[in-house]
């Protein structure tokens, strides 16, 4: 690593040009915003003129981070900090790089060595505290935030302090004393860096002081295995012992991103059971709820006339099941790994591993080493059964409504009464829709997608709408318990004028046609879900361009008649909305638009023929809503 003391001082004639350094920094920052690597390269040229400029070294290091060149960023930021120890931005960036390399304790030391900043530096204080929380030393985060806040009312910092206090309380509930967390993190770092003997001593100290903290027992076993010692761990409390039966990596880690995870077929990994009670007591089993269903046909129940308006689409109901896994690990955005260290193919769903910080390696998957800190990712043990409601696409409202909320009916049919697992920092609609269905905070467990969560038992259901081409029978049955109070106009137009994907280029004219027939325009993305549901529950007729806003009709006790305008060039949209509304029992019609002469793209622009639309609206208004359920 280069040292600032080895950098040659600039010649005196060039030092006189230092007044132009600010202008050069502004130019380089602007260049780096568009092309970080080009900006970093240009910084190298500028350093020939100003070799001892901490600002230039820091900017170059930060641009290397943005360009993904972590090794170069580490070296460059280290020089910047030697020149200017008070550069908190460089310090935090270097700490994050160390964290990604599996050095959480070193990253914490780097944060704590930062000199105090004026109270105006709230942004940097926030970043430092948030990084301490991410590393896992909640006590350190609290120590930074409490003195800075005092009695001040700063909502952002106050929320971060509340989060750190909740997480420290969770550590305490898990059996960890606050003073042992730093020792544990140092043990993890030693194990990841290939020093298992040092790690063993540190983990041993933690279990002696906090004997009920399961991650430390796992670290102790891993450290001994990495030294080819006996795998038996004496003294571990009874509830912790089953977790220690999992496979450990060659480095002694309970999850090692340097290793690939093989894929096993369900027939090899799971035992089929034939009753819900057996599912709960048989290790690594699955309960078939429905085999692959018979073909069925869904289509518009409103006949509008014209080409394609009477189209009906064939479907086959998808297979439905619930699998019960003993001592599995949950990784990324919902990848379940069994206790042998393998992924079961049929539980993976239709999304690629890239959405879970992973990648395909033949018939196996590998994981992003930086995201999972080269094996130092936080580990959490959950000593109770749980039901998986997280997955790669749970951040999209449409997929949450069709592939996650319907899982609740699978849980009921399988006789599973367990808390639900969602991703931490989920979209607000996740908790809101669960609350509509009577699932409160006490029924929810959170999983950190950058960490590892181990469960005593995890129930993993099939995907209710795999590939968006099939759907389980009773897709929307889980939402039948919800009903919103009806209020508002009887005719609603759901606008997408402020949405970027799939722009309806003549939507202003389309909206005007509906408004001329007494429709009230609303923008669903600007309303709370409760307000939107109340409006939809009071409507007799709902129309608009294709979009996931129509899925909110699932919460209406009485389904209005619907007219969905959709691009003709993408059959998938027509299949999806047919599955959605058909499964709800809502009467609906499809009105197909045109691609406006452009090559068809899934999210490309399209338009609607206004003359045909006028006739469709007139016929649509003759159709009554569905009878209340």
């Amino acid at each position: 690593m280069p040292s600032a003391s080895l950098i040659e001082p600039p010649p005196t004639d060039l030092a006189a040009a230092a007044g132009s350094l600010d202008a050069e920094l502004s130019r380089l920052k602007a260049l780096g915003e568009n092309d970080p690597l080009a900006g970093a390269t240009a910084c190298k040229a500028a350093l020939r003129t100003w070799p001892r400029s901490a600002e230039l070294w820091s900017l170059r290091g930060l641009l290397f981070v943005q360009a993904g060149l972590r090794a170069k960023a580490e070296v460059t930021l280290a020089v910047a900090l030697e020149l200017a120890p008070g550069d908190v931005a460089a310090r935090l960036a270097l700490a994050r790089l160390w964290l990604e390399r599996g050095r959480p304790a070193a990253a914490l030391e780097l944060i704590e060595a930062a000199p105090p900043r004026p109270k105006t530096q709230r942004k940097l204080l926030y970043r430092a505290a948030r990084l301490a929380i991410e590393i896992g030393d909640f006590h350190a985060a609290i120590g930074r935030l409490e003195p800075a806040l005092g009695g001040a009312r700063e909502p952002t910092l106050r929320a971060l302090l509340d989060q750190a206090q909740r997480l420290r309380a969770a550590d305490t509930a898990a059996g960890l004393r606050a003073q042992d967390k730093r020792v544990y993190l140092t043990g993890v770092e030693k194990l990841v860096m290939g020093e298992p003997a040092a790690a063993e001593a540190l983990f041993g100290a933690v279990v002696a002081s906090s004997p009920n903290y399961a991650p430390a027992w796992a670290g102790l076993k891993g450290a001994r295995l990495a030294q080819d010692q006996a795998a038996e761990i004496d003294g571990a409390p009874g509830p912790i012992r089953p977790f220690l039966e999992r496979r450990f990596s060659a480095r002694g880690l309970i999850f090692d991103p340097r290793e690939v995870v093989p894929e096993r077929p369900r027939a090899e990994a799971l035992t089929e059971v034939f009753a819900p009670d057996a599912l709960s007591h048989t290790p690594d089993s699955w309960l078939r709820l429905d085999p692959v269903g018979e073909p069925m046909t869904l289509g518009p129940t409103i006949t509008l006339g014209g080409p394609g308006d009477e189209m009906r689409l064939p479907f086959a109901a998808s297979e439905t099941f619930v699998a019960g896994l003993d001592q599995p690990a949950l990784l990324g955005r919902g990848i379940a790994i069994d206790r042998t260290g393998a992924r079961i193919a049929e539980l993976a769903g239709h999304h690629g591993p890239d959405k879970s910080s992973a990648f395909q390696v033949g018939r196996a998957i590998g994981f992003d080493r930086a995201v999972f800190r080269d094996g130092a990712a936080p580990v959490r043990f959950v000593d109770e059964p749980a039901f998986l409601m997280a997955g790669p696409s749970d951040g999209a409202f449409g997929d949450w409504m069709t592939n996650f909320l319907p899982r609740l009916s699978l849980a009921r049919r399988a006789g599973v009464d367990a808390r639900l697992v969602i991703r931490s920092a989920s979209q607000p609609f996740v908790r809101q829709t669960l609350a509509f269905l009577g699932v409160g905070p006490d029924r929810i467990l959170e999983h950190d997608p950058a960490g590892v969560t181990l469960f005593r038992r995890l129930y993993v259901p099939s995907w209710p709408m795999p590939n968006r081409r099939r759907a389980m029978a009773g897709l929307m049955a889980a939402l039948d318990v919800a009903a919103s109070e009806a209020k508002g106009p009887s005719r609603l137009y759901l606008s997408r004028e402020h949405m970027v994907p799939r722009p309806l280029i003549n939507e202003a004219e389309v909206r005007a046609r509906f408004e001329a027939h007494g429709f009230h325009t609303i923008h669903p993305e600007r309303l709370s879900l409760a307000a939107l549901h109340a409006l939809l529950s009071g409507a007799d007729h709902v129309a608009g361009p294709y979009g996931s806003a129509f899925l909110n009709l699932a919460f209406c006790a009485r389904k209005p008649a619907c007219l969905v305008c959709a691009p003709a060039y993408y059959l998938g949209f027509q299949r999806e909305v047919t599955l959605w509304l058909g499964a709800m029992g809502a009467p609906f019609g499809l009105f197909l638009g045109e691609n406006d002469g452009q090559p068809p793209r899934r999210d490309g622009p399209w338009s609607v023929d206004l003359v045909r639309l006028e006739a469709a609206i007139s016929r649509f208004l003759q159709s009554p809503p569905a009878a209340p359920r």
Side-chain angles (χ1 to χ4, degrees):
M1 183 176 295
S3 169
S5 61
L6 300 179
I7 299 173
E8 295 182 5
T12 55
D13 57 335
L14 292 180
S20 62
L21 176 59
D22 289 344
E24 182 66 0
L25 283 168
S26 298
R27 184 186 74 84
L28 293 171
K29 287 177 182 177
L31 176 62
E33 286 179 0
N34 297 318
D35 189 338
L37 185 55
T41 304
C43 285
K44 180 179 180 180
L47 282 166
R48 297 192 185 102
T49 304
W50 297 282
R52 295 189 65 82
S53 168
E55 295 94 334
L56 275 174
W57 283 100
S58 179
L59 177 60
R60 191 174 192 226
L62 295 173
L63 290 173
F64 275 142
V65 171
Q66 294 178 37
L69 300 175
R70 293 180 171 86
K72 289 187 175 182
E74 276 196 46
V75 173
T76 309
L77 290 170
V79 175
L81 286 178
E82 188 168 344
L83 290 167
D87 187 341
V88 179
R91 189 174 291 277
L92 292 176
L94 184 57
R96 179 168 293 282
L97 290 171
W98 284 359
L99 177 62
E100 291 175 352
R101 284 213 293 122
R103 301 183 62 193
L108 272 172
E109 290 177 6
L110 198 61
I111 293 174
E112 292 175 346
R117 307 295 294 178
K119 288 187 176 181
T120 55
Q121 298 289 332
R122 283 296 193 255
K123 182 177 181 180
L124 293 175
L125 170 64
Y126 175 84
R127 289 177 57 194
R130 191 173 68 173
L131 185 56
I133 290 174
E134 188 176 339
I135 291 170
D137 196 331
F138 314 123
H139 188 71
I142 293 168
R144 279 185 165 269
L145 290 166
E146 280 184 338
L149 272 170
R153 292 185 177 182
E154 296 194 31
T156 303
L157 293 181
R158 180 66 60 183
L160 198 63
L161 176 60
D162 291 343
Q163 180 188 10
Q165 290 170 335
R166 287 197 306 271
L167 291 169
R168 185 172 66 176
D171 265 356
T172 302
L176 181 69
R177 299 173 65 186
Q179 62 267 31
D180 291 333
K181 189 59 177 284
R182 182 69 62 90
V183 180
Y184 168 76
L185 291 172
T186 306
V188 171
E189 180 173 313
K190 294 295 185 183
L191 190 58
V192 169
M193 300 300 290
E195 301 177 41
E200 181 183 0
L202 291 163
F203 290 132
V206 175
V207 299
S209 176
S210 300
N212 293 315
Y213 189 55
W217 285 104
L220 181 61
K221 177 174 180 176
R224 291 181 179 175
L225 288 173
Q227 300 174 80
D228 296 323
Q229 295 182 14
E232 285 298 320
I233 298 294
D234 296 327
I240 294 175
R241 290 174 190 165
F243 292 108
L244 303 181
E245 296 173 4
R246 284 185 54 85
R247 176 189 176 275
F248 284 70
S249 76
R251 289 198 294 164
L253 299 170
I254 208 158
F255 167 66
D256 193 338
R258 294 189 187 182
E259 298 183 349
V260 297
V261 173
E263 190 171 84
R264 300 171 63 197
R266 185 177 66 193
E268 291 181 8
L270 303 176
T271 301
E272 185 174 0
V273 300
F274 300 97
D277 183 64
L279 176 70
S280 299
H281 296 91
T282 305
D284 293 347
S285 57
W286 65 288
L287 172 66
R288 186 200 304 263
L289 297 173
D290 278 319
V292 176
E294 296 297 321
M296 59 182 178
T297 301
L298 295 174
T301 56
I302 302 172
T303 301
L304 301 174
D309 287 337
E310 296 183 33
M311 175 184 61
R312 292 179 176 270
L313 299 175
F315 297 94
S318 61
E319 179 187 25
T320 57
F321 60 85
V322 172
L325 305 180
D326 279 347
Q327 289 89 49
L330 193 62
L331 306 169
R333 296 179 69 173
I335 296 180
I337 307 298
D338 71 12
R339 55 184 165 179
T340 70
R343 181 174 75 149
I344 299 169
E346 289 84 351
L347 305 186
H350 54 278
H351 295 282
D354 56 300
K355 288 192 174 184
S356 288
S357 305
F359 49 89
Q360 200 73 39
V361 185
R363 292 186 60 82
I365 57 172
F367 288 85
D368 188 319
R369 286 171 58 175
V371 170
F372 293 97
R373 307 177 191 177
D374 199 23
V379 177
R380 181 188 179 198
F381 290 70
V382 178
D383 189 26
E384 64 176 282
F387 185 86
L388 184 61
M389 292 284 286
S393 56
D394 58 14
F397 182 74
D399 239 36
W400 171 255
M401 291 288 292
T402 55
N403 265 317
F404 294 94
L405 278 187
R407 298 180 181 201
L408 295 176
S409 63
L410 297 182
R412 286 199 292 267
R413 291 174 59 193
V416 174
D417 182 18
R419 290 207 279 173
L420 309 179
V421 181
I422 65 172
R423 275 192 305 122
S424 59
S426 294
Q427 293 288 344
F429 60 71
V430 169
R431 290 180 179 273
Q432 291 168 7
T433 51
L434 286 171
F436 293 152
L437 299 173
V439 179
D442 61 323
R443 297 287 298 162
I444 291 174
L445 292 168
E446 290 191 358
H447 160 68
D448 178 1
V452 183
T453 307
L454 289 103
F455 295 89
R456 177 158 60 85
R457 188 165 183 81
L458 180 66
Y459 295 100
V460 182
S462 55
W463 285 72
M465 193 174 166
N467 294 314
R468 301 182 178 180
R469 293 178 178 273
R470 295 173 291 146
M472 71 179 196
L475 179 66
M476 295 295 175
L479 281 65
D480 282 347
V481 299
S484 300
E485 180 183 355
K487 62 178 180 180
S490 63
R491 297 179 182 180
L492 293 176
Y493 176 79
L494 309 183
S495 172
R496 285 183 57 88
E497 287 176 273
H498 301 294
M499 306 295 285
V500 175
R502 299 187 305 277
L504 176 55
I505 59 177
N506 63 337
E507 185 167 3
E509 292 88 346
V510 171
R511 171 174 49 77
R513 293 298 177 103
F514 278 99
E515 289 176 345
H517 286 273
F519 281 76
H520 177 78
T521 298
I522 61 173
H523 300 275
E525 74 279 5
R526 297 182 173 181
L527 298 171
S528 69
L529 287 181
L532 177 59
H533 295 169
L535 286 170
L536 293 173
S537 294
D540 294 326
H541 294 85
V542 174
Y546 164 84
S548 60
F550 280 96
L551 283 164
N552 288 283
L553 294 169
F555 294 102
C556 300
R558 186 191 64 158
K559 309 302 183 200
C562 301
L563 177 58
V564 182
C565 303
Y569 58 75
Y570 189 69
L571 184 62
F573 295 150
Q574 300 157 38
R575 284 184 174 276
E576 287 175 33
V577 77
T578 297
L579 279 171
W580 299 349
L581 298 177
M584 293 179 202
F588 71 100
L590 286 172
F591 183 85
L592 302 183
E594 302 159 354
N595 67 345
D596 200 44
Q598 301 294 320
R601 302 195 316 269
R602 188 179 189 276
D603 288 330
W606 59 294
S607 62
V608 163
D609 183 292
L610 298 177
V611 175
R612 289 181 56 234
L613 177 65
E614 187 67 35
I617 294 173
S618 298
R619 297 179 70 90
F620 167 51
L621 292 176
Q622 299 171 16
S623 303
R629 60 172 186 259

